[in-house]
Amino acid sequence: MSLTDDKKKKQSESERLSRRKFIKNSGYAVGGLAVGGVIGSVIPWDTEDKAAPQTNNKNNKTTNFTHALMNFSQAEFKMVDAATERIFPEDENGPGAKELGVAYYIDHQLAGSYGLNARDYMQPPFFNGEKVQGYQGRLRRKEIFRIALKEMQSYSQKKYKKGFISLTEEEQNAILTDFAEDKVKLMTVSPSGFFDLLRSMTLEGVYSDPLYSGNKDMDGWRMRNYPGNQMSYTDIIEEDFKDIPPKSLREHM
């Protein structure tokens, strides 16, 4: 082998080693970015116990990752949040609708088949039914909410010169009472019909399983000493009355 050939061989080996080292170091860099940077920051379960609920360290409360709007605008959500709190306010017995996340429950229900009356017969002709027959119109529930919230805001401005969420609790109570008693004259929706729907969905949000975004931390159940979704009572059925910590459907998944 000539001196020139030997020199070319060493240069080629050096280039291969340099490329190998570069690829290896690049792999470390990309891996560090993926795990500790972009992906690592987006997927929290890589750094948490998958069997344990996500909690807020400050007050040891469960973080509900379903609390995101699917139907309401921010303005509509704030109105529903305030209105449900007046229907189910916080008191000495426990939290109110706002803390329990009831407005999120309503938002998510209206975003799905319930809001579209998917299981109801919604074909004409439409007639005014008797009180016991319930709603007999063409509007879907999500449409009723959208229209009624605009009407409630308009009525609030007319009566108090302020938007609904800017009113005092007593003024908000008065607005809701006027709707419940059909004292508001509307051509679009039934005021009392909307209030009945809002009240019904508020109570659903307070006492439904937290899987559906309301009843945060199962505090609605705790106020009623309700055990939630227990898989079985066979281990305590023959014992004296026993308090059982509530369980959500999420804990059985």
Side-chain angles (χ1 to χ4, degrees), residues 93-142:
N93 296 310
K98 183 175 291 188
E99 187 175 341
L100 291 170
V102 168
Y104 286 106
Y105 167 83
I106 295 175
D107 172 80
H108 294 183
Q109 291 300 307
L110 294 177
S113 59
Y114 181 78
L116 294 170
N117 294 66
R119 297 187 180 184
D120 298 337
Y121 185 80
M122 299 292 290
Q123 300 300 319
F126 299 102
F127 299 100
N128 291 328
E130 300 294 330
K131 198 73 174 177
V132 295
Q133 291 180 299
Y135 179 66
Q136 301 290 312
R138 61 169 51 85
L139 293 174
R140 269 61 178 176
R141 292 184 185 95
K142 67 183 303 176

Side-chain angles (χ1 to χ4, degrees), residues 155-246:
Y155 184 68
S156 174
Q157 291 283 358
K158 180 180 178 181
K159 188 168 184 175
Y160 294 109
K161 311 301 181 187
K162 290 183 292 185
F164 184 80
I165 64 172
S166 299
L167 302 179
T168 65
E169 293 179 354
E170 292 73 18
E171 290 169 342
Q172 289 176 347
N173 286 343
I175 294 289
L176 291 171
T177 299
D178 287 349
F179 269 73
E181 296 178 354
D182 280 323
K183 292 181 179 178
V184 187
K185 303 305 178 186
L186 303 178
M187 299 295 292
T188 50
V189 296
S190 164
S192 61
F194 165 67
F195 177 82
D196 290 344
L197 179 60
L198 175 64
R199 181 182 181 277
S200 175
M201 295 190 75
T202 297
L203 295 179
E204 289 172 14
V206 169
Y207 296 119
S208 66
D209 192 281
L211 191 66
Y212 301 103
S213 303
N215 189 14
K216 189 173 185 292
D217 297 312
M218 297 178 282
D219 285 340
W221 288 347
R222 286 191 175 89
M223 287 188 283
R224 308 284 296 194
N225 293 321
Y226 177 65
N229 295 288
Q230 303 289 331
M231 295 299 289
S232 173
Y233 297 95
T234 55
D235 57 332
I236 62 168
I237 198 168
E238 295 182 356
E239 299 179 14
D240 294 333
F241 181 82
K242 184 178 181 180
D243 288 326
I244 307 174

Side-chain angles (χ1 to χ4, degrees), residues 12-178:
S12 178
E13 289 177 352
S14 177
E15 288 175 354
R16 284 199 299 271
L17 288 172
S18 297
R19 283 198 298 271
R20 190 179 301 118
K21 186 176 181 181
F22 172 77
I23 292 171
K24 184 178 180 181
N25 290 342
S26 298
Y28 287 149
V30 173
L33 174 63
V35 176
V38 179
I39 298 179
S41 64
V42 173
I43 308 177
W45 52 83
D46 283 344
T47 57
E48 298 286 347
D49 181 1
K50 295 180 182 180
Q54 303 291 326
T55 58
N56 182 324
N57 293 330
K58 186 176 180 181
N59 53 19
N60 201 31
K61 291 289 188 178
T62 303
T63 301
N64 193 333
F65 292 108
T66 68
H67 280 187
L69 296 185
M70 299 179 182
N71 176 69
F72 292 136
S73 67
Q74 284 289 342
E76 290 169 338
F77 176 81
K78 290 177 181 178
M79 286 187 67
V80 173
D81 205 27
T84 55
E85 181 69 15
R86 300 317 318 135
I87 293 172
F88 195 93
E90 179 181 5
D91 60 17
E92 65 278 3
N93 296 310
K98 183 175 291 188
E99 187 175 341
L100 291 170
V102 168
Y104 286 106
Y105 167 83
I106 295 175
D107 172 80
H108 294 183
Q109 291 300 307
L110 294 177
S113 59
Y114 181 78
L116 294 170
N117 294 66
R119 297 187 180 184
D120 298 337
Y121 185 80
M122 299 292 290
Q123 300 300 319
F126 299 102
F127 299 100
N128 291 328
E130 300 294 330
K131 198 73 174 177
V132 295
Q133 291 180 299
Y135 179 66
Q136 301 290 312
R138 61 169 51 85
L139 293 174
R140 269 61 178 176
R141 292 184 185 95
K142 67 183 303 176
E143 295 171 331
I144 292 173
F145 259 84
R146 187 138 289 151
I147 294 169
L149 290 175
K150 289 181 180 179
E151 296 285 12
M152 193 162 73
Q153 182 77 337
S154 176
Y155 184 68
S156 174
Q157 291 283 358
K158 180 180 178 181
K159 188 168 184 175
Y160 294 109
K161 311 301 181 187
K162 290 183 292 185
F164 184 80
I165 64 172
S166 299
L167 302 179
T168 65
E169 293 179 354
E170 292 73 18
E171 290 169 342
Q172 289 176 347
N173 286 343
I175 294 289
L176 291 171
T177 299
D178 287 349

